[in-house]
Amino acid sequence: MTSWKENVREVVPYTPGEQPKTKVIKLNTNENPYPPSPLVGKAISDVKLDALRKYPDPNCSNLISAIADYHGVDKENVFVGVGSDDVLAMSFLTFFNSNKPVFFPDITYSFYDVWADLFRIPYEKKSLDETFKIKPEDYDEPCGGIVIPNPNAPTGIAEPVSFFENIVKKHPECIVIIDEAYVDFGSMSCIDLVRKYDNLLVVRTFSKSRAMAGNRIGYAIGDKELIKYLSDCKFSFNSYTMDTITLAAGVASIQDDSYFKEKLEAVINTREWTKKQLSTLGFTYPDSKSNFIFAKHESVEASYIFEELKKAGIYVRYFSKPERISNYLRISIGTDEEMQVFIDELSKIIKGV
Ligand SMILES: *Cc1c(COP(=O)(O)O)cnc(C)c1O
């Protein structure tokens, strides 16, 4: 007798960072320490209760227009979804349909191999060099697609636009996805390349730089034909992905650019301050252009520091796998006050060993 279990789509899911219910200093999931713009609050409270009776706008036209204007592209160049996880998953489904493997770094966002497994997409992980940098020559062969975050996660290392242009240029046979989840924190976007290359898709999120992880807004910018294919897949799956309240909140965030820039600058300044403190305490780290620092201590083990910080009510992220990064901690940037408490506790832990 065969069992139904032979026909189950069995996957090992992605593990998100912990969301503790108690009040802690939360530096483990790269959330923004500041709230979204006050205009977002106003937009949310302005949504009439009666408006929720109706389905949301399936075309998300106001949000798409706001994003298109912001980046100086046409509306037909923009696709939106429920966080960039939704946009990325839909992009994998739409564009990665070759028998050839999709390429991505061995140390990167740990959702990529989960989607590839889920959709049965063959893939090959390309190892970063000793300093955690991407080796561009690894991406030279013809393949089924490429996905790379810029800056990369969890290393925080950014590469210039020319680095990605070289990759995109070499691969007319496939779609190259650049995941720009952290690009606003001080690196250059590949969005302008979309005009020149019809095989490039740039994916963005409101979760980190716009402090709206709780809303779930992500988007992709690409050639009109790419966006059309993505939309066709989305409308074959779920027409109403984004809700009425979130759509209004997203537009309001884009409209308050001065608040956005001010908070970005605050996070960047705190990151640079934190780097210096970490160096003083004996940590090393790749030069991060994101809202986190990937750091390793010269003598104290990461797993020990992780547990001790947790006892002190400070959560950071620790990945026991792969082996190469098992002595690193990924520390999200909080407010100045939070980072001062973090550094003080860290100093006690290091000195107490
Ligand atoms: C956080 C993150 C995402 C997902 O963000 P959403 O909250 O789903 O928009 C995607 N890619 C990378 C590299 C991330 O760090």
Side-chain angles (χ1 to χ4, degrees):
M1 289 284 274
T2 54
S3 156
W4 56 265
K5 286 195 181 167
E6 283 167 35
N7 296 312
V8 163
R9 189 178 291 266
E10 203 178 344
V11 284
V12 181
Y14 170 78
T15 322
E18 284 179 82
Q19 294 291 351
K21 291 276 181 284
T22 50
K23 188 152 171 44
V24 298
I25 293 185
K26 206 170 162 304
L27 310 176
N28 68 334
T29 52
N30 300 342
E31 286 141 341
N32 200 306
Y34 302 105
S37 156
L39 292 192
V40 172
K42 183 169 185 313
I44 291 174
S45 52
D46 282 352
V47 174
K48 300 275 182 293
L49 191 59
D50 188 59
L52 298 183
R53 233 174 9 89
K54 292 186 278 174
Y55 279 105
D57 170 13
N59 299 315
C60 308
S61 26
N62 293 344
L63 180 60
I64 284 186
S65 292
I67 292 170
D69 288 350
Y70 188 76
H71 290 297
V73 297
D74 291 337
K75 294 197 279 291
E76 295 78 15
N77 293 113
V78 182
F79 175 83
V80 293
V82 185
S84 56
D85 286 341
D86 180 42
V87 175
L88 285 162
M90 206 42 75
S91 305
F92 273 50
L93 185 67
T94 309
F95 301 117
F96 295 164
N97 284 289
S98 162
N99 296 325
K100 293 210 179 78
V102 167
F103 296 162
F104 47 85
D106 63 339
I107 295 163
T108 194
Y109 189 37
S110 53
F111 226 138
Y112 300 151
D113 52 4
V114 174
W115 288 313
D117 287 334
L118 176 65
F119 298 134
R120 296 177 185 154
I121 299 164
Y123 59 92
E124 232 175 82
K125 295 183 184 183
K126 302 291 186 182
S127 47
L128 301 180
D129 74 11
E130 303 301 291
T131 61
F132 291 147
K133 282 179 77 87
I134 296 166
K135 293 179 276 177
E137 64 275 16
D138 283 354
Y139 296 81
D140 280 352
E141 298 157 59
C143 59
I146 293 174
V147 53
I148 302 176
N150 190 46
N152 194 10
T155 64
I157 299 174
E159 294 294 348
V161 171
S162 58
F163 179 97
F164 296 102
E165 179 163 16
N166 287 335
I167 293 178
V168 172
K169 227 191 296 190
K170 276 192 192 130
H171 288 282
E173 85 288 1
C174 71
I175 302 301
V176 178
I177 300 177
I178 308 299
D179 180 351
E180 294 190 338
Y182 302 102
V183 78
D184 293 321
F185 298 104
S187 56
M188 294 303 290
S189 173
C190 287
I191 287 179
D192 284 344
L193 294 181
V194 161
R195 266 179 264 278
K196 239 166 116 182
Y197 301 96
D198 66 0
N199 61 325
L200 167 67
L201 193 73
V202 177
V203 175
R204 294 277 196 113
T205 177
F206 279 45
S207 297
K208 282 55 181 248
S209 57
R210 293 193 176 274
M212 292 168 74
N215 269 121
R216 314 303 300 128
I217 306 176
Y219 60 100
I221 301 213
D223 184 78
K224 293 180 186 180
E225 206 180 353
L226 287 196
I227 300 301
K228 172 78 170 66
Y229 280 119
L230 255 181
S231 297
D232 287 349
C233 271
K234 174 223 143 136
F235 279 102
S236 309
F237 191 73
N238 180 0
S239 320
Y240 303 108
T241 50
M242 305 197 64
D243 68 81
T244 301
I245 296 169
T246 298
L247 288 170
V251 172
S253 169
I254 300 253
Q255 282 165 349
D256 199 351
D257 205 42
S258 58
Y259 179 92
F260 175 59
K261 301 255 160 70
E262 180 192 313
K263 295 302 180 224
L264 279 180
E265 201 185 313
V267 172
I268 292 169
N269 290 340
T270 309
R271 177 187 71 205
E272 295 309 311
W273 177 86
T274 308
K275 282 180 184 171
K276 288 192 200 115
Q277 307 302 312
L278 286 172
S279 299
T280 310
L281 291 177
F283 283 86
T284 50
Y285 43 82
D287 188 30
S288 171
K289 294 281 183 236
S290 57
N291 67 338
F292 56 81
I293 300 169
F294 196 52
K296 172 188 175 189
H297 193 262
E298 58 195 4
S299 58
V300 188
E301 273 184 37
S303 56
Y304 173 77
I305 302 172
F306 170 75
E307 292 301 337
E308 291 300 304
L309 280 171
K310 206 168 182 174
K311 284 184 206 156
I314 300 170
Y315 281 53
V316 296
R317 193 82 190 263
Y318 171 67
F319 304 93
S320 57
K321 278 188 288 193
E323 180 75 40
R324 260 175 100 189
I325 61 166
S326 66
N327 208 19
Y328 280 81
L329 296 170
R330 193 195 66 190
I331 303 145
S332 309
I333 303 302
T335 60
D336 286 337
E337 297 72 32
E338 287 173 325
M339 297 322 273
Q340 185 67 62
V341 176
F342 163 72
I343 291 293
D344 292 346
E345 282 301 329
L346 196 57
S347 164
K348 277 191 234 161
I349 294 166
I350 303 291
K351 287 174 185 145
V353 175

